Amino acid sequence: MGLSDDEYVMEELNDLPYYHGYINSSKAVALLRHERPGTYLLRQSTNIQHKGTFTISVIKNRTDKRTDIYHFTVLGTRGSYYAKKGVNFKRVVDLLQYYKNNDYENHLDIPNIRLVHSLDKPDYVTPYSYASVEGRFENLLAHLRQLDEATGEEICECGIGVRDATLPNGWMMHLTPEKPKLIFFQNDELNLTQWDVPEGLWEKITPNQRRLIHENKFDSAG
């Protein structure tokens, strides 16, 4: 019996050194944050609105005060992939190669993004994927959230309680996995990741959320 379309694509992508398989956006940020602009990695999408697709995480700018990392969903199915409708590619690798020399087309119209340097997965990482949406989603829930046995509160994978990590206007805040632990902000709807507190958010968050930001803000390590 031959491979299904999903299984065929997984077989092809698992051979790519820069395909990181099943990692979420916070892990992608941790891997990319010290890399040069134009560095990207390919991973399986964790956005349930785009089931069975892939995500490109790419660093656009990096300074002492700010790092801009974006996450873009590769849309389509086997034989027809695209960043924006109108320019289709037979394979995901063809899309990546095209946008190495051309600005990446995205729904936010962010200019001057190119996929110049691929970031290989660490030697100890073995990418894995699920052809079925059900299996992939169940694994997503198991990896992204855990239950704190002492308090009964849901804890984000980064270590912050989900209640504190959830901010207004679709924003989340997370801690970087390596020390010193630093706060960064992520909005999957806008495909944005940044170090600075999102504009207009400070007055809307709780005192405990402000405390977490003060204790772990980016410039406190400088």
Side-chain angles (χ1 to χ4, degrees), residues 200-219:
L201 214 61
W202 186 256
E203 299 301 323
K204 299 179 181 180
I205 61 179
T206 68
N208 196 49
Q209 289 171 326
R210 294 178 188 173
R211 178 187 61 79
L212 284 168
I213 293 172
H214 271 305
E215 291 177 352
N216 302 280
K217 60 184 179 180
F218 176 69
D219 58 6

Side-chain angles (χ1 to χ4, degrees), residues 16 20 37 53 72 83 95 98 103 130 134 136 141 145 159 196:
L16 299 176
H20 290 241
T53 56
F72 300 116
L95 180 148
Y98 177 82
D103 288 352
Y130 291 88
E134 292 79 7
R136 189 171 66 89
L141 294 180
R145 292 186 177 179
D196 300 329

Side-chain angles (χ1 to χ4, degrees), residues 15-203:
D15 289 335
L16 299 176
Y18 51 85
Y19 175 62
H20 290 241
Y22 184 88
I23 64 170
N24 59 27
S25 53
S26 61
K27 287 186 178 179
V29 169
L31 290 169
L32 289 166
R33 59 188 291 258
H34 295 302
E35 300 297 328
R36 54 186 168 174
T39 302
Y40 72 94
L41 61 83
L42 181 68
R43 59 189 176 89
Q44 191 173 8
S45 178
T46 57
N47 188 335
I48 61 175
Q49 293 181 334
H50 299 294
K51 299 173 183 178
T53 56
F54 308 98
T55 295
I56 297 168
S57 297
V58 57
I59 179 168
K60 183 176 187 290
N61 299 305
R62 180 166 63 82
T63 66
D64 291 340
K65 293 292 184 181
R66 181 185 181 94
T67 301
D68 294 322
I69 295 175
Y70 297 94
H71 309 279
F72 300 116
T73 302
V74 178
L75 301 173
T77 56
R78 178 186 174 190
S80 181
Y81 296 100
Y82 60 92
K84 287 186 73 173
K85 289 184 177 180
V87 183
N88 290 46
F89 302 88
K90 185 175 181 180
R91 301 181 302 161
V92 176
V93 291
D94 297 332
L95 180 148
L96 298 175
Q97 182 61 36
Y98 177 82
Y99 289 114
K100 180 177 182 178
N101 301 308
N102 298 275
D103 288 352
Y104 192 88
E105 300 172 288
N106 59 88
H107 70 281
L108 298 174
D109 292 326
I110 301 169
N112 304 320
I113 292 180
R114 295 196 179 189
L115 310 178
V116 183
H117 316 288
S118 59
L119 180 65
D120 291 355
K121 55 184 174 287
D123 292 338
Y124 57 83
V125 172
T126 301
Y128 58 95
S129 307
Y130 291 88
S132 72
V133 171
E134 292 79 7
R136 189 171 66 89
F137 185 60
E138 288 173 6
N139 196 71
L140 167 63
L141 294 180
H143 278 70
L144 294 185
R145 292 186 177 179
Q146 57 188 355
L147 189 65
D148 185 292
E149 295 179 355
T151 64
E153 180 185 3
E154 280 186 300
I155 305 296
C156 176
E157 189 181 46
C158 74
I160 300 178
V162 171
R163 183 181 304 174
D164 286 330
T166 304
L167 305 174
N169 303 334
W171 286 94
M172 297 284 292
M173 65 177 175
H174 300 290
L175 286 170
T176 57
E178 72 276 12
K179 293 182 179 180
K181 296 285 188 178
L182 301 174
I183 287 279
F184 64 93
F185 302 90
Q186 176 183 323
N187 190 316
D188 285 340
E189 295 178 4
L190 300 177
N191 279 321
L192 289 178
T193 301
Q194 62 188 54
W195 294 111
D196 300 329
V197 178
E199 185 176 355
L201 214 61
W202 186 256
E203 299 301 323

